[in-house]
Each structure stands twice: as C-alpha cells, then as structure tokens.
Amino acid sequence: MRIQAAWAAFGLLLCLALLKPLSGDLAFLAAFAYQIYVPGWIRPMDSPLAFLNTVDLRSFKFVLWLAFITFSLYGGFYFLAQTGWASRAGYQTAFFPAKPNTAMLWSFCVQFLFVALAEEYFYRGFLQKIWGGLSGVLCVNAAFALGHFIGEYDPVRLLPFFPGLLFSWIYHRSGSLFAVTLFHALCNSYSEWLAASFHWSPK
C-alpha cells in the first residue's frame, strides 16, 4: 500500500508537470479529479465524503481558536515583510482592510470544496494515513510543496511545505478531515484578503 501511495503521489506530480504549462485551469480540474478519485480507487473503503463524518462542534471551535492565533501571528509577519520589501523598493505601504463581499464568499466556497477538500483528502487523509510517522509527514509535505512548485518552478512555491506541516499536525491532533479542510480553506482565503488589503505607492 505504501508503494501504491508513492506511485499515486508521483502520478499527481507528473500530471501537474504536463498540464500546468499548457493551462492552469486544465491542471486545476485534472488535479481535483485525480485527488478525489485515486485514493478511493486504491483504498475502496475511503471516500472524499468521509469529512462529513468528522463534522462536529468541537472541531469547529478548535479550528477557530487556532485560526485566531496563527492568523494574528502571520498577519503581523506579513505586515513587517510587506513594509520592508516596499521600503527597499522605494515604495510605502498602506493597509485598507478589504470589505467582505460576495466575491470573497464565493472564493471561500471554491477554496473549501475544490482546493482544500481535494488536497487534504489526498495528502492528509490518504498519503499521511498510509505513510504515518514523522518521516511520512515530511514526505507528505514534500510532495505537497512539489505539487505547488511543479509546472511553475518558482522557489517561492515550495513554501507551502511549512503550512503543510501545520495541516498534518491538525489532522493528527483532531483526526478530523473536516477540521483540516476548513483550516486550509480559511488560510487560503485569509491570504487573499491580506493581499487585497495591502497597497503599495511611491514615496
């Protein structure tokens, strides 16, 4: 089973390497279908709807508290990084919190259903469950980072390795696919909100 999981991870990376240079949208759809279908094909007892069995108030509260702590820290770091980069480039930054709107709500729904659920089901609910242990977690998140890097080849796209470690911990700590999927979607939406709230202008 471990070897089959390794081939499944390799197949996803190969799919992304071939399709991303051709079309980002096509690669997105293919990756979604692959991540949803392949785990259930290898382990027929698994289903992407397994997250429904882990939906509970305790997981929801856990995610909200964790999001409050981590988003506060990340928001402060993001502010300092943006200010530093802007200053070195001869710009100044201004922070105007983006107002919630329908587009943001729609983006969160897309992040939850088509990005976070598929990725967490494949990487944490499938690969991590099979590989297990610290070495398994490191391999899972190396594959997770490579999934973002392959086809784009921008070193910055390797950074998801680090939030991936947090996602792995949440899944290990809670045993809830719902919890890690929700947190993943919230992280992506929060990053989009921060990007929309910071503005650079010449000094």
Side-chain angles (χ1 to χ4, degrees):
M1 189 68 72
R2 293 171 67 88
I3 295 177
Q4 288 176 300
W7 276 111
F10 175 76
L12 177 60
L13 294 177
L14 180 61
C15 174
L16 292 171
L18 294 173
L19 295 180
K20 269 189 182 180
L22 299 176
S23 168
D25 291 337
L26 180 60
F28 173 81
L29 292 173
F32 172 79
Y34 188 99
Q35 292 171 137
I36 291 294
Y37 172 75
V38 169
W41 177 64
I42 294 176
R43 291 170 54 98
M45 73 288 292
D46 286 342
S47 164
L49 296 180
F51 85 99
L52 291 174
N53 298 326
T54 62
V55 176
D56 58 54
L57 185 59
R58 183 179 179 183
S59 295
F60 186 72
K61 288 181 177 178
F62 172 66
V63 167
L64 290 185
W65 274 111
L66 187 61
F68 176 76
I69 295 169
T70 56
F71 289 7
S72 298
L73 294 173
Y74 179 71
F77 172 78
Y78 189 91
F79 174 81
L80 292 175
Q82 285 286 322
T83 302
W85 292 334
S87 179
R88 283 194 293 273
Y91 289 82
Q92 60 185 0
T93 56
F95 178 72
F96 300 107
K99 295 180 180 178
N101 53 43
T102 305
M104 288 184 182
L105 178 60
W106 173 248
S107 176
F108 173 78
C109 292
V110 170
Q111 290 291 342
F112 184 89
L113 293 173
F114 297 103
V115 179
L117 176 58
E119 290 184 351
E120 293 310 319
Y121 173 57
F122 184 80
Y123 289 104
R124 256 60 67 172
F126 172 60
L127 294 182
Q128 184 170 318
K129 187 185 294 184
I130 292 175
W131 288 344
L134 177 59
S135 61
V137 166
L138 293 176
C139 288
V140 165
N141 288 294
F144 180 63
L146 285 173
H148 292 77
F149 173 77
I150 291 291
E152 298 179 37
Y153 308 110
D154 179 354
V156 173
R157 297 295 283 158
L158 290 171
L159 291 178
F161 175 83
F162 299 103
L165 293 176
L166 181 56
F167 300 157
S168 288
W169 176 80
I170 293 171
Y171 185 68
H172 174 75
R173 168 74 171 73
S174 66
S176 171
L177 190 61
F178 166 74
V180 70
T181 297
L182 177 60
F183 185 78
H184 187 158
L186 287 172
C187 285
N188 289 356
S189 294
Y190 181 62
S191 295
E192 290 180 353
W193 179 81
L194 281 176
S197 299
F198 272 91
H199 305 275
W200 287 23
S201 60
K203 288 184 177 179

